[in-house]
Amino acid sequence: QVQPVESGGGLVQAGGSLRLSCVASGSIFSAYYMAWYRRAPGKQRELVAALIGGGSTDYADSVKGRFTISKGNAKNTMYLQMSSLKPEDTARYYCYARMPSGDYWGQGTQVTVSS
């Protein structure tokens, strides 16, 4: 069973940085697609950043220039470097992996940005 596990969340002041990590273990196969989503209280889940494949990436307009998604050296590992954080970035951040066996979500890691 594939299980993505996120880490790296926490409390940070506005303007600060955090680095999130995700490891999707449990498969001998590589993910087709991996992405970070977030859900803030009272809002819908939204795509933050994605590894599309072939080295391509995609970002929500709200995080372009501040967040960087990258692939780890280990299989099915990715990171999200978040800089210049704003209070509106406060949310629970989820790792998503699309595998040959299906779609998988992590439990999430909380990011709280204080003003």
Side-chain angles (χ1 to χ4, degrees):
Q1 178 71 15
V2 176
Q3 180 58 58
V5 178
E6 306 93 339
S7 61
L11 173 64
V12 64
Q13 288 189 330
S17 300
L18 282 174
R19 188 192 194 210
L20 305 185
S21 301
C22 172
V23 180
S25 60
S27 175
I28 63 172
F29 301 106
S30 295
Y32 297 137
Y33 173 91
M34 294 185 75
W36 289 99
Y37 284 78
R38 68 185 181 188
R39 176 175 283 163
K43 295 186 177 181
Q44 290 187 333
R45 184 175 61 198
E46 63 173 347
L47 175 68
V48 177
L51 293 170
I52 299 173
S56 296
T57 58
D58 190 27
Y59 294 92
D61 288 342
S62 59
V63 307
K64 283 181 180 177
R66 299 189 298 121
F67 291 11
T68 302
I69 190 171
S70 60
K71 184 178 180 181
N73 290 329
K75 185 173 60 181
N76 300 332
T77 299
M78 70 173 176
Y79 304 97
L80 185 68
Q81 179 68 46
M82 305 185 295
S83 302
S84 302
L85 283 161
K86 304 175 181 180
E88 50 263 44
D89 294 318
T90 295
R92 192 162 185 85
Y93 285 70
Y94 297 88
C95 173
Y96 166 78
R98 180 173 297 164
M99 307 291 293
S101 56
D103 297 341
Y104 299 92
W105 291 91
Q107 294 296 311
T109 185
Q110 180 67 34
V111 172
T112 302
V113 184
S114 63
S115 58

